[in-house]
Amino acid sequence: MNLQETERALISGRYAEVLKESLVGVSLAEMEVRPADVVRWSLLALSACRYMGRTNEALQHAYSALEKARPLNDPLLLCEAHLGQALAFKTARDYDEAIRELKESLESLPAGASDLLRATVLLETAETSMEAGLRPEAESALAKGGALVHWIREPRLLAWSLYLRSQWEDVSPADLQLSAAYEIAKTVDFPELQWRILWRLGERAGEAGRSKMQEDCLWNAFQILTRLAEPLESADATGFWRQGPRRLFMESAKKKFGGTFFQRVMQEGVRQPDNSTRIIRDLGFDSASIPDFGRREPPQA
């Protein structure tokens, strides 16, 4: 796979495959003295490690990418390297360092350069600040990033921004934003965001006393995660389930279904939940409200 194909595989959740391709890419780029590609492949390797719970390896790849990017006189690549370092620090739950790297990432990006990259950094700043309990900083970054997303019309970032905005909305508007985010994430094959949206919808359903919907959402989210973990080796699968938000999700599932949750899964398999699109529709969401750039393009004749 080339860089673009590997990036697509990462978004689709093929983490072991991405890591294997990235390590080959790093070695080949080093042999052929292509330092910019060494940085790009290293950033893909760190992302794959991060999603699989390989925190130390993610930190190593992030450090290597940043050190190699510094002397290259490429502001966009340096911005991406700082972003990668921030993601690795966030995986290690070092939010202070993560936020510092995100600030450096934005500062290294020249005015007028890559709105797509700027929006990505701003949304990551919003999410990291939110997780760190820094609401004013999160709201400020989200307002700037969300405005850029609507300007550049990138569906994956639109789904992410809607998901983040829903955190501060009242129940009904938030549910509709989450529904739109889910449908867009599904269209662009972004399972990492899909399961988090379903988890959030389930939590809101529980708060509103809608127990059946909460159960359906949690089982749908769990099904997505199970599909992502299935190709991984045993040690990586263990790390996958223990990684950050997934660990919190499993605690939520155990709270809902009881301490024997894993035993039930082992004995009964993953239960077939209600179709997630039906759940979204039942919330009153109209898919016709999704902007055209957030829809799947019709197949070419």
Side-chain angles (χ1 to χ4, degrees):
M1 291 191 290
N2 59 30
L3 278 162
Q4 290 72 29
E5 291 168 338
T6 309
E7 288 172 359
R8 183 64 255 170
L10 177 69
I11 294 169
S12 297
R14 293 151 51 194
Y15 305 131
E17 188 179 349
V18 168
L19 181 57
K20 180 180 178 181
E21 291 289 336
S22 298
L23 294 179
V24 171
V26 168
S27 297
L28 188 60
E30 287 177 337
M31 287 175 55
E32 297 176 353
V33 195
R34 292 182 282 112
D37 282 344
V38 173
V39 175
R40 295 185 181 99
W41 283 114
S42 295
L43 291 173
L44 284 169
L46 95 82
S47 293
C49 287
R50 182 170 76 95
Y51 284 124
M52 290 193 292
R54 295 189 182 189
T55 303
N56 290 336
E57 288 182 51
L59 287 165
Q60 291 167 10
H61 286 301
Y63 177 81
S64 174
L66 186 54
E67 288 303 299
K68 286 180 171 61
R70 290 187 193 277
L72 294 182
N73 193 30
D74 185 334
L76 296 184
L77 197 60
L78 182 60
C79 174
E80 289 185 59
H82 279 298
L83 174 60
Q85 183 71 80
L87 292 173
F89 278 133
K90 186 171 83 165
T91 303
R93 302 181 196 173
D94 189 340
Y95 290 109
D96 289 341
E97 286 300 307
I99 290 170
R100 183 181 64 79
E101 288 292 340
L102 287 166
K103 289 179 179 176
E104 290 203 35
S105 183
L106 281 175
E107 290 170 0
S108 67
L109 195 58
S114 184
D115 285 338
L116 180 65
L117 182 53
R118 191 180 302 276
T120 301
V121 176
L122 285 166
L123 293 184
E124 184 56 53
T125 300
E127 183 167 277
T128 303
S129 299
M130 197 181 298
E131 291 182 18
L134 304 173
R135 178 162 178 164
E137 292 84 348
E139 290 180 329
S140 174
L142 182 56
K144 296 173 185 175
L148 270 179
V149 166
H150 283 277
W151 174 258
I152 61 180
R153 302 170 68 83
E154 207 288 323
R156 183 176 60 86
L157 294 186
L158 174 61
W160 189 14
S161 68
L162 287 170
Y163 166 74
L164 293 175
R165 282 172 55 194
S166 74
Q167 309 301 311
W168 296 306
E169 296 284 0
D170 293 332
V171 173
S172 182
D175 283 352
L176 293 178
Q177 286 180 346
L178 287 166
S179 299
Y182 181 82
E183 288 296 300
I184 296 169
K186 184 177 178 181
T187 295
V188 297
D189 191 19
F190 190 9
E192 278 292 341
L193 185 58
Q194 285 177 256
W195 77 261
R196 290 166 64 195
I197 292 168
L198 288 169
W199 179 24
R200 185 60 182 153
L201 280 170
E203 294 289 292
R204 286 185 172 275
E207 293 166 4
R210 293 176 287 176
S211 182
K212 176 65 166 58
M213 179 181 171
Q214 180 187 17
E215 187 170 322
D216 288 338
C217 286
L218 291 180
W219 276 106
N220 271 285
F222 184 70
Q223 190 173 53
I224 292 172
L225 286 169
T226 301
R227 188 173 69 247
L228 291 175
E230 190 174 6
L232 302 178
E233 298 291 336
S234 178
D236 283 330
T238 299
F240 173 91
W241 287 108
R242 290 178 177 172
Q243 189 268 341
R246 300 191 191 101
R247 177 180 52 81
L248 297 176
F249 168 77
M250 292 308 297
E251 290 175 2
S252 175
K254 288 178 183 178
K255 183 177 179 181
K256 171 64 180 175
F257 300 115
T260 59
F261 180 65
F262 276 116
Q263 292 179 10
R264 287 178 57 191
V265 171
M266 293 298 291
Q267 292 169 0
E268 305 170 15
V270 179
R271 202 194 79 180
Q272 290 299 313
D274 285 2
N275 182 273
S276 55
T277 299
R278 186 196 62 76
I279 296 171
I280 299 301
R281 189 177 64 246
D282 287 350
L283 288 169
F285 175 70
D286 180 4
S287 60
S289 64
I290 296 176
D292 289 341
F293 69 90
R295 303 173 189 274
R296 187 186 300 275
E297 294 184 3
Q300 299 296 317

